Amino acid sequence: MPVPVGVVGPLLLDGVKYFVPMATTEGCLVASANRGCRALMLGGGVTSMVFRDGITRAPVVRLPSAKRAVELKLWLEDAESFSLIQEQFDSTSRFARLNRLTIGLAGRLLFIRFQSKSGDAMGMNMISKGAELSLDYLQKHHFPDMEILSISGNFCTDKKPSAINWIEGRGKSVVCEAVVPGKVVKELLKTTVPALLELNISKNLVGSSLAGSIGGFNAHAANIVTAIFIATGQDPAQNVVSSNCMTLLEATGDTGDDLYITCTMPCIEVGTLGGGTILPPQAACLQMLGVSGSCREEPGRNASTLARIVCGSVLAAELNLLSALAAGHLVKSHMKYNRSSISMNGGISS
């Protein structure tokens, strides 16, 4: 089953030009992201930062009583106890490094959310292994009356919308920013800065709030995340969490004629080795981005770079779609490019 793959770019990100592969059947998506990249290039490109790094896994355990569950919670939150768990967890891998435990309690059930760095791997298998050994140590040496119900208790949270991921992050937390000159907004994007600001507030902030959205304060981040995930061998189902994004726009410049845009994405779950990244087409796409496999000089750098590319590409696509909506061009472009008369079998459709 062939999947159409387009290339977007160049995306000028932190002074480096990237050509970004996207696997999608949406007719306008590649063109949309390309126009956004062009506008960003004319403004000097995108700046990005990873401000948090840690994949999560949250086993659920049961104690004989709620009182006993609270005792375990308080024990785990003690600094000395954390060091004991951290030593066990970190012993399971050269790259796993436990940096936080978040504890949730419901009656006599306890949910222990492990958060760990995982090098260039996305890290679910790695963190599950570390959590399992940590629970075994905890049960044998400190809380023998603890019953392990499941290695995953949905407090992680994997492949489901959740407030904890939106607030605390999961995977790579990334923010991107850029300035687009007012002239570029007017001549290339065919709209104005005031129109974009009003639209972003009404649509991405008010509209999403009215819908009760969690992490959906954007125009179409999931489009870009999914397309890059499929092209680079990520788990497509993780777009549920990885697409969490808040897009913010401000007027900037001496006269307020320029546009300042940011995308904040706290839960980008990516890796550059293992899983689907070993498939030849996906590996080739990672090589095109210069992030294939593990970075020996600085473990984790390749995965972090991929996360920054995802966020930068989302910013480009957000900029373009908001511009198309503000200018009233969305329906026209989709009617033109999503209704091609060319048959994929080589002929012309009737």
Side-chain angles (χ1 to χ4, degrees), residues 232-253:
T232 60
Q234 311 305 308
D235 186 340
Q238 288 189 316
N239 94 86
V240 174
V241 173
S242 296
S243 298
N244 282 357
C245 174
M246 178 176 282
T247 300
L248 296 175
L249 276 61
E250 302 174 32
T252 191

Side-chain angles (χ1 to χ4, degrees), residues 69-277:
V70 171
E71 290 173 353
L72 174 52
K73 181 179 187 297
L74 295 176
W75 188 90
L76 288 168
E77 290 173 343
D78 177 75
E80 185 175 339
S81 301
F82 175 81
S83 296
L84 294 174
I85 298 298
Q86 185 179 46
E87 182 180 0
Q88 296 297 315
F89 186 98
D90 291 358
S91 70
T92 62
S93 168
R94 289 181 297 155
F95 303 106
R97 292 296 177 264
L98 183 65
N99 51 37
R100 188 176 182 185
L101 290 175
T102 303
I103 315 300
L105 184 143
R108 63 190 183 115
L109 298 177
L110 209 63
F111 299 80
I112 308 169
R113 190 176 190 256
F114 292 78
Q115 189 169 34
S116 168
K117 290 189 174 183
S118 56
D120 285 303
M122 186 272 289
M124 287 304 300
N125 291 334
M126 187 185 300
I127 194 171
S128 296
K129 181 180 177 182
E132 191 171 63
L133 182 68
S134 299
L135 290 181
D136 184 62
Y137 166 81
L138 191 61
Q139 189 178 52
K140 286 181 178 178
H141 297 280
H142 297 279
F143 288 84
D145 54 350
M146 180 187 79
E147 180 185 0
I148 302 168
L149 297 183
S150 173
I151 191 65
S152 174
N154 275 12
F155 190 58
C156 311
T157 298
D158 189 35
K159 302 175 184 176
K160 290 166 281 291
S162 72
I164 193 168
N165 287 346
W166 177 239
I167 296 167
E168 300 291 343
R170 188 171 199 260
K172 319 295 182 190
S173 298
V174 185
V175 62
C176 283
E177 63 181 350
V179 173
V180 184
K183 182 179 180 181
V184 175
V185 172
K186 182 178 180 180
E187 296 181 0
L188 177 62
L189 300 177
K190 311 301 182 183
T191 186
T192 66
V193 171
L196 285 171
L197 300 186
E198 183 178 13
L199 172 63
N200 191 63
I201 292 171
S202 300
K203 173 183 170 62
N204 286 347
L205 302 184
V206 177
S208 294
S209 296
L210 191 62
S213 179
I214 297 175
F217 303 96
N218 59 83
H220 69 147
N223 261 335
I224 302 302
V225 172
T226 305
I228 298 177
F229 271 30
I230 294 173
T232 60
Q234 311 305 308
D235 186 340
Q238 288 189 316
N239 94 86
V240 174
V241 173
S242 296
S243 298
N244 282 357
C245 174
M246 178 176 282
T247 300
L248 296 175
L249 276 61
E250 302 174 32
T252 191
D254 294 338
T255 57
D257 293 332
D258 300 331
L259 178 71
Y260 174 70
I261 178 171
T262 67
C263 283
T264 306
M265 303 182 69
C267 317
I268 302 179
E269 303 153 315
V270 291
T272 55
L273 71 159
T277 67

Side-chain angles (χ1 to χ4, degrees), residues 59-70:
V60 54
V61 302
R62 181 165 58 199
L63 282 298
S65 66
K67 178 178 181 295
R68 189 66 171 147
V70 171

